Amino acid sequence: MDKVDYFIEELCRFAGEDETYACNFKDALKADEEIYQEFLYYMEHQNFACKAKVCGYTVVDVLIWQIDHFRAWLDRDTSGTKENGDRMVLLAFDTMLKMRKNPQEYLERMQGETGTDFQIK
């Protein structure tokens, strides 16, 4: 097992995901060179290069959207992400991979579902 495979498996384990999820995530990640390179940068630096983009959005944009969108669930701690930064990172990369395949669905969600307590004008 190489270093990347090991990191993916450990990240998934820390995020509470099983081997099937890890395998599917690994396959999807390795099929997208741009997001894979972003993931490698994260693995090596524990930070984001923000070079990979889907419709202008980076993995940090996805991460922030997820935090904002799921704020109510995070407050109740039912999402499994409140105390699990590894899970948040994993879900951000996973969402970005899904966004690459179906950008319109995610653009609508990211631009329309803000998770805020107030109406956006």
Side-chain angles (χ1 to χ4, degrees), residues 53-58 61-62 65 95-96 98-114:
K53 294 182 181 178
V54 177
C55 299
Y57 288 95
T58 68
D61 295 320
V62 173
W65 170 73
T95 297
M96 196 166 183
K98 291 174 182 169
M99 187 177 177
R100 174 82 78 203
K101 291 184 180 203
N102 190 0
Q104 194 58 40
E105 174 188 346
Y106 288 91
L107 288 174
E108 289 172 9
R109 290 171 65 186
M110 289 179 75
Q111 294 169 359
E113 298 176 3
T114 64

